Amino acid sequence: MKRDWILSPKSRGFRTSAALKLEASIDTSSPNPDAPPPLGVLDPNIVSSPRLERKLVRTTGQQPIGSRRRRAALQNSKNIPFEQLPYQCFQEARKLLLADREEKLKQIEDQRRRIAKSKAIPAAQHGGEFVKNGRLISMQKYLEKLKILADINDPVIKKRFEDGEGDMNRPIYRFLADRQWRQQRRQILMQRINQMHIVPDVLPHLDPTAEVRLAFGRRNVQPGDFVDSLISETPPRLNVQVFDKGKRYVSIVVVDPDVPNVETDGFDSRCHFLAVNIPISPTSTSVALSGLPEGAQVLRPWLPPHAQKGSPYHRMATFIFEHGTKLSLETMEGISKRAQSGFKLRMFPRQFQLKPTGMHLFRTRWDDNMAGVMQRAGIEGANMEFRRQKPEKLPYKKKDGARYR
């Protein structure tokens, strides 16, 4: 049966706009203060996708806080303080940890009284000044160990350290940072040092105890990376993180041990930067090489890394030497004069009793921008090209064929 559909006057056709009643409706509900912010907001506490993390660093210059799993969990959780989480097992465990911490604090006070009492006793009763100083050093080390044991199991301490909010003036945060560095980043550094023969080519021995990070602008350079000559034309920024308390003075030396010497058919060393008497501490770690005053601290200004065409890659090694007191600038002037060519880093720590505590390494080689960098820096040799000589063939001597008959 055929049906004819007729549109009645009361019916209404399809409309693309909302009804007038819906258009005039206004949401009067109050916003939820505990609701998480939108996922697109660049908040370093909750950003969790790699794309938004890169956008956060690119636009604001801030790094994401904590692990990605933690930031993803905070997106849908209420803002409850960490120490007030409503878990019975967690709260009972915190009671035990607090009781253990109170016991450790009592031991710290007892150890401090022992140290003060030992200092008041004359050195003759200890068996001499040397024995007294050794005993005081041992007691002070045990005191620092007790300070670490008092906070090592505190979950709030661990949370603050993972979130990047730790105070490096406290021993526990220095201990955690040192342990984290030695687990991976120091091992990678030592691997690069051994693979590229920094030891023994530059120094006979090296045991880094301070973490050194190097960056050209926004680019963080990993140990052993190749850096374009246009990027390394300007001085870098160093971050020297020490893990023991107190302020100290350091010297920074950047050396290239792979300068070709045609006359001797070997390699020489060249100093690219030399600065002394730079104060650092566990909380003051940033050192901008371009911001150091020339003459007062900088004895050798930044020389852009360069390599001629055809030469092997050059190892640019940055060393941190620690010294307790300021070095005399008059004495260092002789080093700066000899740093122009043929600089030997081995004599640097021996002459001034300096201790190498940190090191970083990157590499440079000939690229398309190298000629322009050398021209702007007034460095000769951009038109020079090294080529390998073919080995001479041994003179052919025809053997007597009668021996093979």
Side-chain angles (χ1 to χ4, degrees), residues 1 30 99 129 140 159 195 211 247 257 267 285 319:
M1 178 183 293
S30 60
E129 191 69 27
Q140 191 66 34
K159 175 183 176 298
Q195 285 180 342
E211 182 181 11
K247 178 182 177 181
F267 296 93
T285 60
F319 291 93

Side-chain angles (χ1 to χ4, degrees), residues 135-312:
R135 186 171 299 176
L136 288 175
I137 292 174
S138 178
M139 296 174 70
Q140 191 66 34
K141 288 182 179 180
Y142 183 66
L143 177 62
E144 296 297 327
K145 182 179 179 180
L146 288 176
K147 292 179 182 179
I148 296 173
L149 293 177
D151 296 325
I152 191 64
N153 296 318
D154 192 348
V156 179
I157 295 290
K158 293 185 177 181
K159 175 183 176 298
R160 290 176 182 172
F161 175 74
E162 292 179 358
D163 294 346
E165 300 175 355
D167 184 8
M168 293 301 289
N169 285 320
R170 299 182 58 180
I172 180 61
Y173 290 113
R174 296 197 299 267
F175 172 79
L176 293 175
D178 185 29
R179 186 174 66 178
Q180 185 184 59
W181 172 60
R182 291 179 181 273
Q183 285 178 351
Q184 184 180 15
R185 296 194 296 271
R186 187 182 184 276
Q187 296 182 10
I188 294 176
L189 175 63
M190 295 304 298
Q191 184 186 49
R192 300 296 184 270
I193 291 174
N194 295 328
Q195 285 180 342
M196 300 179 188
H197 306 286
I198 297 298
V199 175
D201 289 354
V202 183
L203 286 179
H205 176 71
L206 181 61
D207 183 20
T209 58
E211 182 181 11
V212 181
R213 298 185 182 184
L214 187 144
F216 290 96
R218 292 187 176 181
R219 179 184 174 183
N220 295 322
V221 181
Q222 300 299 323
D225 281 357
F226 281 100
V227 180
D228 189 85
S229 60
L230 196 62
I231 297 177
S232 62
E233 185 177 6
T234 58
R237 173 180 291 272
L238 298 182
N239 188 285
V240 184
Q241 180 63 66
V242 292
F243 304 105
D244 51 345
K245 65 178 181 179
K247 178 182 177 181
R248 76 289 316 272
Y249 292 95
V250 299
S251 297
I252 300 177
V253 183
V254 181
V255 63
D256 177 9
D258 300 320
V259 181
N261 190 332
V262 181
E263 297 178 357
T264 61
D265 194 17
F267 296 93
D268 293 335
S269 296
R270 178 174 54 219
C271 181
H272 283 252
F273 184 82
L274 177 60
V276 298
N277 300 333
I278 302 173
I280 61 170
S281 65
T283 56
S284 178
T285 60
S286 180
V287 180
L289 301 189
S290 59
L292 297 176
E294 187 171 351
Q297 291 180 326
V298 178
L299 302 181
R300 170 72 168 160
W302 178 256
L303 179 66
H306 54 277
Q308 283 81 9
K309 188 176 182 180
S311 64

